[in-house]
C-alpha cells in the first residue's frame, strides 16, 4: 500500500544545495557513459575502423547492450517521475523540461535526415521519452491516490511490454504509425524506441520509485557512499547534464573520427 504521506511534497535530504538525488543522477550518469562507449564503437564500425566488422543490428552482443542501455535510461526516468510528483513538481516546470526533450528530438530527426537520409530517426529514444513522459505525467497523479498504485503500475507495465507480441498490424508499419510499436516489421532507422513496449519499462521505474519512497527513501535521498564518491561524484554531475551530453557526444565523436581520417587516413 502506498502511504498517504507520499502525496505530500517530499523534500529530499541530499548534500547538494539543489536538493537533487545524487544516487539517481549517478545511475543515470553510468548509463550515459555506457551509451557513449556503445555509440563510439558504432561510429568506428560505421567508418570501417573496427576489424572484424561488427553487426550492431543483429549481433546479440550489441543488441543486448542497446536494450540494457535504453532500459536503464527509462527506469531512471520513471523513478524521477515518481520523485518529481511526490516532491510537488508543477505542470509549468514539467512543460519546460518536456519542451527541451521535444526540441532535442526534433533536432535529432533533422540531423539524422542529413547524415542518414535512408534511415533517419523519426521516433528514437528522445521522441519516445517525450511521449512516455506525457503519458505518465498525465496518469500518475490520479493513480498515485490509490493505495495499490504500484500493483496497477506493474500490471500496466507488463501489458505494455507484452502488447507488441499480442497484436500488430501492417497498417502501423509506416512512419506515421510505427511510433506505437505495434508493427509487423521493424522500420529501417538508426534508432527506434516506440511507445510499446518501452512505456512498460518506464512504468516499472515509476513503480520502483514509489516503492523506494515508501520503504527505503534513503536509497534515493541519501548521500553518495564515501568509498565510491571519487567515481560516483563525476557520474552524478554527468547524470544531471545527460540531455546536453546526449546531444553533443555524437557530433564530437563523428567530427573527431573524420578529422583523424583526414589527417592520418585509415
Amino acid at each position: 500500500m502506498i502511504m498517504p504521506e507520499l502525496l505530500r511534497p517530499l523534500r529530499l535530504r541530499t548534500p547538494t544545495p539543489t536538493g537533487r538525488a545524487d544516487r539517481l543522477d549517478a545511475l543515470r550518469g553510468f548509463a550515459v557513459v555506457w551509451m557513449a562507449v556503445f555509440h563510439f564503437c558504432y561510429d568506428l564500425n560505421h567508418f570501417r575502423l573496427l576489424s572484424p566488422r561488427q553487426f550492431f543490428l543483429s549481433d546479440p552482443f550489441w543488441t543486448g547492450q542497446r536494450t540494457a542501455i535504453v532500459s536503464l535510461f527509462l527506469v531512471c526516468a520513471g523513478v524521477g517521475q515518481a520523485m518529481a510528483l511526490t516532491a510537488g513538481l508543477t505542470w509549468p516546470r514539467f512543460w519546460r523540461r518536456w519542451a527541451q526533450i521535444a526540441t532535442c528530438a526534433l533536432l535529432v530527426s533533422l540531423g539524422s535526415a542529413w547524415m542518414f537520409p535512408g534511415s533517419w530517426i523519426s521516433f528514437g529514444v528522445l521522441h519516445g521519452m517525450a511521449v512516455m513522459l506525457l503519458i505518465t505525467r498525465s496518469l500518475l497523479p490520479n493513480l498515485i491516490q490509490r493505495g495499490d498504485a504500484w500493483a496497477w503500475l506493474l500490471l500496466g507495465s507488463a501489458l505494455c511490454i507484452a502488447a507488441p507480441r499480442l497484436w500488430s498490424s501492417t497498417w502501423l508499419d509506416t512512419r506515421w504509425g510505427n511510433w506505437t510499436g505495434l508493427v509487423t516489421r521493424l522500420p529501417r532507422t538508426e534508432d527506434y524506441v516506440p511507445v510499446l513496449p518501452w512505456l512498460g519499462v518506464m512504468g516499472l521505474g515509476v513503480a520502483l520509485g514509489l516503492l523506494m519512497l515508501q520503504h527505503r527513501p534513503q536509497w534515493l535521498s541519501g548521500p553518495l557512499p564515501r568509498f565510491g564518491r571519487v567515481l560516483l561524484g563525476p557520474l552524478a554531475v554527468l547524470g544531471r547534464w545527460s540531455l546536453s551530453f546526449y546531444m553533443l557526444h555524437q557530433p564530437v565523436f563523428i567530427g573527431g573520427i573524420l578529422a583523424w581520417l583526414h589527417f592520418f587516413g585509415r
Side-chain angles (χ1 to χ4, degrees):
M1 174 178 284
I2 302 298
M3 301 295 289
E5 286 76 7
L6 275 182
L7 300 180
R8 302 173 186 170
L10 174 68
R11 190 172 184 84
L12 296 178
R13 296 186 295 272
T14 63
T16 60
T18 60
R20 291 189 61 103
D22 283 351
R23 294 183 176 187
L24 181 61
D25 285 335
L27 182 60
R28 189 183 297 109
F30 171 76
V32 168
V33 172
W34 192 358
M35 172 199 70
V37 172
F38 181 91
H39 281 168
F40 187 62
C41 292
Y42 181 92
D43 294 340
L44 290 175
N45 191 65
H46 176 76
F47 289 102
R48 301 183 182 277
L49 295 175
L50 279 186
S51 182
R53 186 160 179 78
Q54 300 296 301
F55 299 93
F56 279 76
L57 300 181
S58 58
D59 188 339
F61 176 77
W62 297 110
T63 58
Q65 287 191 69
R66 179 189 179 275
T67 298
I69 293 168
V70 174
S71 298
L72 189 52
F73 271 117
L74 292 178
V75 167
C76 287
V79 174
Q81 281 294 289
M83 296 179 67
L85 183 64
T86 55
L89 178 70
T90 62
W91 273 104
R93 287 187 61 191
F94 169 82
W95 283 121
R96 284 196 296 271
R97 182 59 175 172
W98 184 88
Q100 294 175 350
I101 296 173
T103 300
C104 289
L106 176 60
L107 292 175
V108 166
S109 291
L110 294 174
S112 63
W114 173 72
M115 188 166 183
F116 307 103
S119 57
W120 64 282
I121 300 170
S122 60
F123 208 83
V125 63
L126 291 183
H127 307 73
M129 188 169 291
V131 174
M132 287 182 264
L133 286 175
L134 272 179
I135 295 173
T136 57
R137 186 63 176 83
S138 300
L139 298 179
L140 196 54
N142 292 327
L143 183 60
I144 200 176
Q145 296 181 40
R146 300 179 58 95
D148 54 355
W150 63 271
W152 284 101
L153 281 166
L154 290 179
L155 176 60
S157 297
L159 290 175
C160 288
I161 293 172
R165 297 181 179 274
L166 299 177
W167 188 84
S168 60
S169 172
T170 55
W171 289 93
L172 299 175
D173 285 345
T174 67
R175 287 192 183 272
W176 296 106
N178 63 27
W179 61 271
T180 62
L182 302 175
V183 296
T184 61
R185 56 180 175 81
L186 292 177
R188 184 168 178 261
T189 178
E190 296 301 313
D191 190 25
Y192 180 55
V193 183
V195 173
L196 299 173
W198 293 105
L199 178 60
V201 179
M202 182 178 285
L204 292 176
V206 175
L208 179 62
L210 292 177
L211 286 172
M212 284 192 290
L213 287 169
Q214 178 187 354
H215 297 290
R216 295 289 187 274
Q218 69 277 10
W219 287 5
L220 292 172
S221 60
L224 294 174
R226 290 185 177 180
F227 65 86
R229 196 167 295 174
V230 173
L231 175 62
L232 296 178
L235 286 179
V237 173
L238 184 59
R240 295 182 201 125
W241 294 92
S242 56
L243 183 59
S244 299
F245 184 93
Y246 180 88
M247 294 302 296
L248 293 174
H249 79 287
Q250 278 291 64
V252 171
F253 286 169
I254 294 173
I257 292 173
L258 290 175
W260 174 272
L261 291 175
H262 176 75
F263 288 107
F264 302 103
R266 296 187 181 277

